[in-house]
Structures are given as C-alpha cells and as structure tokens.
Amino acid sequence: MNRPVLPMSSLSLKLPTANGQIETYRLAASRAFPAKLEGTLNRIAFSAAHVVADPLADVDPWLSAAVDWDRTIAFREHVWDLGLGVAEAMDTAQRGMGMDWPNSLELIQRSVAAAKARGNALVFSGAGTDHLAPEDAKSLDDVIRAYEEQIAAVEKAGGRIILMASRALAKIGRNPDDYATVYHRVLSQVREPVIIHWLGDMFDPALANYWGTPDLNAAMDVAVAVINANAAKVDGVKVSLLDEQREIDMRRRLGKGIKMYTGDDFNYAELIAGDAQGFSHALLGIFDAIAPAASYALSRLAAGDEAGFHDVLGPTVPLSRHIFKAPTRFYKTGIVFMAYLNGHQDHFTMVGGQESTRSTLHLAELFRLADKAGLLANPELATRRMQAVLALRGIEA
C-alpha cells in the first residue's frame, strides 16, 4: 500500500539552491497513505490544526483576520477521518500571531459543534489569557480572571480544555510561587481534566523563564509539582521544548494516570514509540502537515509493527525539523504551505500575512523534503503549485 513502486517519478521542476543556483529537481516516486484510519491506535494523537484564511476578504491582513470557515472545518474533518484528534485554537492556528481571542473563540465553537455532529470526535481547545495584554496585567488576580473567562467560554461551548501558557503571567510572575498560585486557583475550577501546555520560548519569546525561573531543571520541578498536586484536574501535559531527554525525564515523574503528550517536533518518532519505562502520546503541529502518514504509522505501531511505524514516520522527521527550524515561531508558514501543496486549500495566503515569514529557499527545501518522505498526496498538483509560487518569486518553470 505504502511502498514506492518506482524509484523515481517522471515529474521535475526548477528549484533554487543554497549557493544561489537553480537546479532541475526530479521527484521521487510517491507513497500512498489511506485517507481514513485503517485499524486501531494505541496512542492518543492530536494534530494542532491550522486555519485557512479567506484570500478574497477585503481586510488588512496585519490588522484583522479573515477566516474561510468552511475550508477550516473541512480540514478538521480530514484529521478526524484519520483517527486523530484536533487540538484547536493553539499556536498552530496562529493564536497570538494573527488570531485574536474573539476569532479563536468562534473557531472553538465551530470546531466543537462539528466534532459533536460526528459523534463526539476528539477535540480539545486552547484557553489562555491572550485577551489580556501583558502590559495591562497588574496582578496575579488579573491573570486568574483572564484564564477564568476563557475557560468559562470554552466550557459553555461544550469543549475540553488545553490550558495554554500565559504571556501575561510570564511578564508579571516573579517566582515559582506566583505560577503555583495561578495554576492551583485555575485548575481548582475546571469542569473536566485539562491538558497543560508548556510552550518553550523558541515557539514564543514572550514565554521566556516560564514557571518563574530561567533554569529549565528548576522550571521542570515547579511544573511537575503543580501538575502532580492537581492530578485529578489534569489529563496530561504537552511539552514543547524540543528536548527529547527532558521530556523523557518529565514523563517518568508524572503521577499515575497523567499522560505525556509530546510536543517535540524534532524527536516525536522515538518519543511516541517509547521505551521499557513508558511512552508519549502526541499533540503536534507537524501532524497537521503529515496527518495521513502519521495515522498510518500509528496504526502500524498499534498492530505491533514497530519497524513499519519507523519506516513511515522516520522520513518525516527531517521535514519537521526544517519546518520548525529557528525562528521556530514561524513554523506555521510551512504547515500552511504543505496544506496548499496537498490540496487542502486553493491558495498560499495566511492570516496576518504570515506567508511572508519564510524565504523562497526555505519553501524549496520544504518541497524536496516532503517529496523524499512521500508526503505529496498528488505530486502533479504539488509540482504545479510549487512552480506557481516560484514564478511569483522570480523563478520561471
């Protein structure tokens, strides 16, 4: 089903190289993955999902967001078909980088309603404090009230919660005790257990020194203590630090029944496979771009075929490392570009004008790596679309 039939494709195109030259790149033979989950999964896997911009809306992209709601929800249907959950209104959906809280809440409401219409498909949604400007936060109570407002809105919509990291708390929190105070208060009020998201400052520089210390070992001590003290209110924790060993160390310290959801877009294959002492579930932005391959790989793992799992997922890691390379916060551009190449949207336009945050060379290398991993669902379409983007940037077919 999934192995290449031919060593190479007949398709080719001109791509720029790092030395300033133009090469003729010939595509590899594509791999075909099922459009729906085949078999079962023994890991919980969320795709943090992107939003599809409305390219025809009369808005100023830097100032206001225009979302194509139909295509945005259609993409979530694609993710659910593959047996994956949707992590809604997270940083992959450009939360805080083009999507404000009112638009994010509408996204959550629409996504939760769509999930319920499918018999309660898996969706958890981000609740944070992003409607409170960090400079307007004067006290911990301000941060707590902001969390409470968003939690109440998500719960009113019938949604489950991912408790997002707070820029306001990062600004005014003086020490670990301040973080503990906020999280204890907030967690005591949630209706159902939440996923706590620890987002590293490589994803958002405003979150530097989270948990009240620049020392990551000390920060982990604080986070683990808060999570384990509120075990009844915590489904799991998503760690986005791009540090494999630190994640392994943390998951071994979590209380019984608390899940680790890897957010490590550099090392997810090994972390999901796990070791004799445990494994990570997944809550990953890269699963947006590689959802069919991820679903198939996870089904092979559940079937006891670990070699098949790594055969499919391993080749996706170089692509993910490229998409998430520094400045990591611009990874959303690569995610949306993959959706454009694979036909999930008809344009390469992003909320906030974020399509401009990666270079032509970056997009060209993304195309090569996606092709080598067998991730171009329709190579002919992907090639035409890559050529169209290159033409706009001065590289003719």
Side-chain angles (χ1 to χ4, degrees), residues 14-30:
K14 293 178 180 179
L15 293 177
T17 64
N19 64 6
Q21 302 299 308
I22 303 295
E23 70 169 8
T24 297
Y25 176 79
R26 188 176 177 188
L27 278 70
S30 61

Side-chain angles (χ1 to χ4, degrees), residues 225-363:
V226 167
I227 291 164
N228 287 344
N230 294 277
K233 296 289 190 174
V234 179
D235 171 84
V237 54
K238 167 181 162 67
V239 178
S240 299
L241 298 176
L242 304 181
D243 187 325
E244 181 177 9
Q245 190 57 50
R246 201 175 295 279
E247 178 177 317
I248 292 170
D249 292 343
M250 186 176 188
R251 79 185 181 198
R252 291 175 180 170
R253 296 174 61 185
L254 295 176
K256 185 178 180 181
I258 300 175
K259 305 177 189 73
M260 171 60 75
Y261 293 93
T262 185
D264 188 337
D265 298 278
F266 284 5
N267 305 291
Y268 49 90
E270 293 82 1
L271 289 163
I272 293 168
D275 55 32
Q277 298 184 56
F279 59 83
S280 296
H281 298 279
L283 200 165
L284 289 160
I286 192 58
F287 275 15
D288 179 299
I290 68 167
S295 171
Y296 183 73
L298 290 166
S299 73
R300 297 314 308 153
L301 185 65
D305 179 12
E306 187 165 338
F309 165 81
H310 285 294
D311 174 63
V312 173
L313 211 58
T316 71
V317 173
L319 171 67
S320 187
R321 291 184 176 186
H322 179 70
I323 287 176
F324 285 81
K325 70 184 293 186
T328 302
R329 64 188 182 277
F330 296 140
Y331 78 87
K332 296 87 164 176
T333 301
I335 297 294
V336 173
F337 192 59
M338 280 291 293
Y340 171 62
L341 293 178
N342 280 330
H344 295 293
Q345 54 194 78
D346 297 328
H347 56 85
F348 180 40
T349 304
M350 294 177 65
V351 169
Q354 291 287 310
E355 66 271 18
S356 67
T357 66
R358 292 298 201 187
S359 70
T360 304
L361 282 176
H362 182 91
L363 298 179

Side-chain angles (χ1 to χ4, degrees), residues 51-339:
V51 292
V52 181
D54 180 354
L56 302 181
D58 185 15
V59 297
D60 296 306
W62 282 23
L63 303 178
S64 56
V67 178
D68 182 335
W69 294 114
D70 290 342
R71 295 302 289 267
T72 293
I73 296 302
F75 186 80
R76 281 133 184 85
E77 299 278 354
H78 158 70
V79 170
W80 287 322
D81 281 345
L82 291 162
L84 308 179
V86 169
E88 192 55 273
M90 304 294 292
D91 51 294
T92 305
Q94 297 181 243
R95 187 82 173 263
M97 287 185 69
M99 286 286 283
D100 59 13
W101 168 237
N103 277 299
S104 296
L105 178 57
E106 182 171 359
L107 175 62
I108 290 166
Q109 291 166 336
R110 288 173 177 268
S111 190
V112 169
K116 291 186 182 303
R118 289 178 60 100
N120 293 318
L122 183 60
V123 57
F124 274 53
S125 302
T129 67
D130 48 318
H131 63 293
L132 172 66
E135 60 270 18
D136 292 337
K138 306 303 181 186
S139 68
L140 297 182
D141 284 340
D142 290 338
V143 177
I144 291 168
R145 280 192 292 269
Y147 267 128
E148 290 172 341
E149 181 178 336
Q150 292 201 12
I151 287 168
V154 175
E155 290 182 340
K156 182 179 180 181
R160 296 288 301 275
I161 287 168
I162 301 169
L163 198 65
M164 301 175 70
S166 166
R167 290 175 177 173
L169 179 55
K171 184 175 188 299
I172 69 169
R174 297 180 303 278
N175 52 54
D177 288 344
D178 285 348
Y179 283 78
T181 295
V182 170
Y183 275 86
H184 288 318
R185 283 268 301 278
V186 170
L187 289 170
S188 71
Q189 301 176 61
V190 296
R191 184 182 302 165
E192 296 179 272
V194 307
I195 298 172
I196 291 177
H197 188 192
W198 180 2
L199 188 67
D201 59 3
M202 69 287 292
F203 287 89
D204 186 345
L207 298 177
N209 304 329
Y210 211 73
W211 301 108
T213 172
D215 182 336
L216 276 177
N217 291 324
M220 185 178 291
D221 291 341
V222 177
V224 169
V226 167
I227 291 164
N228 287 344
N230 294 277
K233 296 289 190 174
V234 179
D235 171 84
V237 54
K238 167 181 162 67
V239 178
S240 299
L241 298 176
L242 304 181
D243 187 325
E244 181 177 9
Q245 190 57 50
R246 201 175 295 279
E247 178 177 317
I248 292 170
D249 292 343
M250 186 176 188
R251 79 185 181 198
R252 291 175 180 170
R253 296 174 61 185
L254 295 176
K256 185 178 180 181
I258 300 175
K259 305 177 189 73
M260 171 60 75
Y261 293 93
T262 185
D264 188 337
D265 298 278
F266 284 5
N267 305 291
Y268 49 90
E270 293 82 1
L271 289 163
I272 293 168
D275 55 32
Q277 298 184 56
F279 59 83
S280 296
H281 298 279
L283 200 165
L284 289 160
I286 192 58
F287 275 15
D288 179 299
I290 68 167
S295 171
Y296 183 73
L298 290 166
S299 73
R300 297 314 308 153
L301 185 65
D305 179 12
E306 187 165 338
F309 165 81
H310 285 294
D311 174 63
V312 173
L313 211 58
T316 71
V317 173
L319 171 67
S320 187
R321 291 184 176 186
H322 179 70
I323 287 176
F324 285 81
K325 70 184 293 186
T328 302
R329 64 188 182 277
F330 296 140
Y331 78 87
K332 296 87 164 176
T333 301
I335 297 294
V336 173
F337 192 59
M338 280 291 293

